[in-house]
Amino acid sequence: MANLVAVTTQQQFEDFLAKAGKCLTVVHFQAEWAPQCGHMNEVMAELAKEHIRTTFVKMEAEAVPEVSEKYEISSVPTFLFFKGGEKVDRLDGAHAPELTKKVQRLAVTGSPRGNAESSTTDLNQRLKKLINAAPCMLFMKGSSQEPRCGFSRQIVALLKEHNIQFSSFDILSDEEVRQELKTYSNWPTYPQLYVNGELVGGLDIVKELAESGELENTCPKAVTLEHRLKTVINQGPVMLFMKGNKEAARCGFSKQILEILNGTGVDYDTFDILQDEEVRQALKTYSNWPTYPQLYVKGELIGGLDIVKELKESGDLVSVLKGES
């Protein structure tokens, strides 16, 4: 295929970016010794058939150290997305569904308007799902345990001081959400607080509500821990509770289960237990399962890494993930 190529030098890489112009270029930084890279190349080949105006580039990360260093490539596979010679997105790890989503969203196709409308609809649905993930949702820099800016730190302190039960989303972990939520909500800054899917506002608004005594009335009353666990378990049809996230597992068991799930082609959501100590400890008791990762399908516990391995070996994993058995 003319739009699926391999490059071996920095000059070839730069030439392809220049030639692509405003069309999307997807660059796969790979290594021959990594089997997951081979799998992702098969995914790219299928995407190349569908998106003929998108250029897909395979590049040995170690063969072009100057390019790898420039774009901070520290592991394989890593995918960079370029338009007009500028990097517009990034994906770390062998996650086929996420790669497909990003290509569909960014690609310039024969009917760009229809594609843009479709991708916008998909993104809006994702944002709506995140906003409604809990009765009170805070979009912030960092986590409620470790805020990473002064404004986020202040709003977390206010909510805790007034005994408001809330969940949080770290916008630094997802650049797409970080940028698009500002447009979706017509609110240009962070943090942002939502109650029952509706925007309340940022730090200044929350301060005013606290000073007037209206904060407790605006935000839902603290829910029980059991209700909160049920909410996060049912946040998506397939939920993986792990150390880290899809792009960066932070333990060997979590990394292994990600590789298995990514190979199924079934989409799933993750919850980083390192970001929420309350959920981390309570879920072990709730599920009567003492270790992580834990995989849930339609709110029901499937098990951990060993169970998922057994399901893969028996050929039942995909049907279980789809809720068919």
Side-chain angles (χ1 to χ4, degrees):
M1 283 173 286
N3 63 327
L4 179 60
V5 297
V7 303
T8 56
T9 67
Q10 181 179 8
Q11 188 60 52
Q12 283 182 314
F13 168 73
E14 293 174 351
D15 288 346
F16 272 110
L17 290 186
K19 189 184 300 182
K22 293 183 179 180
C23 292
L24 177 65
T25 300
V26 182
V27 183
H28 177 198
F29 289 83
Q30 62 175 9
E32 287 186 358
W33 48 262
Q36 62 268 35
C37 292
H39 169 66
M40 294 306 290
N41 278 334
E42 294 175 6
V43 176
M44 280 219 309
E46 292 302 313
L47 290 171
K49 295 176 184 177
E50 181 181 350
H51 302 278
I52 59 175
R53 295 183 61 188
T54 296
T55 302
F56 295 85
V57 177
K58 296 181 288 185
M59 179 184 294
E60 287 289 318
E62 295 176 353
V64 280
E66 60 277 13
V67 178
S68 296
E69 182 177 349
K70 177 179 179 181
Y71 292 103
E72 300 179 342
I73 307 300
S74 57
S75 63
V76 293
T78 294
F79 296 85
L80 297 184
F81 303 80
F82 293 86
K83 275 189 172 182
E86 298 293 329
K87 180 170 74 71
V88 295
D89 208 342
R90 177 183 180 123
L91 174 63
D92 293 277
H95 185 53
E98 193 68 21
L99 176 63
T100 301
K101 281 183 181 179
K102 287 182 180 289
V103 171
Q104 289 174 339
R105 178 174 61 86
L106 295 168
V108 177
T109 66
S111 53
R113 182 180 175 187
N115 186 68
E117 289 174 350
S118 175
S119 62
T120 299
T121 300
D122 291 342
L123 179 57
N124 286 344
Q125 289 175 347
R126 184 182 176 216
L127 294 175
K128 186 175 181 180
K129 181 180 177 182
L130 286 171
I131 288 168
N132 288 277
C136 188
M137 276 297 297
L138 177 65
F139 291 80
M140 60 179 289
K141 294 181 179 179
S143 67
S144 57
Q145 286 76 34
E146 295 184 12
R148 295 179 61 183
C149 81
F151 299 125
S152 293
R153 190 173 297 110
Q154 289 182 62
I155 200 168
V156 165
L158 273 171
L159 294 174
K160 288 183 175 179
E161 178 186 342
H162 290 266
N163 197 30
I164 303 299
Q165 185 76 45
F166 67 97
S167 295
S168 64
F169 183 92
D170 181 5
I171 58 167
L172 299 179
S173 69
D174 194 315
E175 186 64 22
E176 182 180 56
V177 170
R178 180 181 183 177
Q179 298 302 330
E180 297 301 329
L181 187 59
K182 293 187 287 188
T183 302
Y184 180 89
S185 63
N186 195 28
W187 195 271
T189 59
Y190 291 100
Q192 294 182 14
L193 182 69
Y194 292 78
V195 171
N196 296 325
E198 297 294 330
L199 176 67
V200 174
L203 175 60
D204 290 342
I205 300 295
V206 172
K207 280 183 175 179
E208 291 175 6
L209 289 170
E211 290 169 0
S212 67
E214 291 296 313
L215 186 58
E216 288 86 348
N217 295 329
T218 301
C219 296
K221 295 179 180 179
V223 296
T224 64
L225 180 57
E226 181 179 358
H227 183 273
R228 184 172 179 231
L229 292 176
K230 286 182 179 179
T231 298
V232 294
I233 287 170
N234 288 279
Q235 194 169 318
V238 182
M239 283 295 300
L240 176 65
F241 291 80
M242 60 177 288
K243 294 180 180 179
N245 54 43
K246 284 181 181 179
E247 285 70 35
R250 295 179 64 181
C251 82
F253 299 123
S254 293
K255 183 177 181 181
Q256 289 182 62
I257 202 168
L258 281 182
E259 291 174 351
I260 293 173
L261 293 177
N262 290 340
T264 66
V266 178
D267 199 13
Y268 62 95
D269 295 300
T270 60
F271 185 98
D272 183 0
I273 59 168
L274 298 178
Q275 298 292 325
D276 196 316
E277 188 64 22
E278 183 180 55
V279 170
R280 179 180 183 178
Q281 298 304 329
L283 189 58
K284 292 187 288 187
T285 303
Y286 177 87
S287 63
N288 195 27
W289 196 272
T291 59
Y292 290 99
Q294 293 183 17
L295 181 68
Y296 292 77
V297 174
K298 295 182 178 178
E300 297 294 327
L301 175 67
I302 302 302
L305 176 60
D306 290 342
I307 300 296
V308 171
K309 282 183 175 179
E310 291 174 8
L311 289 170
K312 178 187 176 185
E313 290 168 2
S314 68
D316 295 325
L317 181 57
V318 172
S319 61
V320 169
L321 293 176
K322 291 181 177 180
E324 297 171 353
S325 62

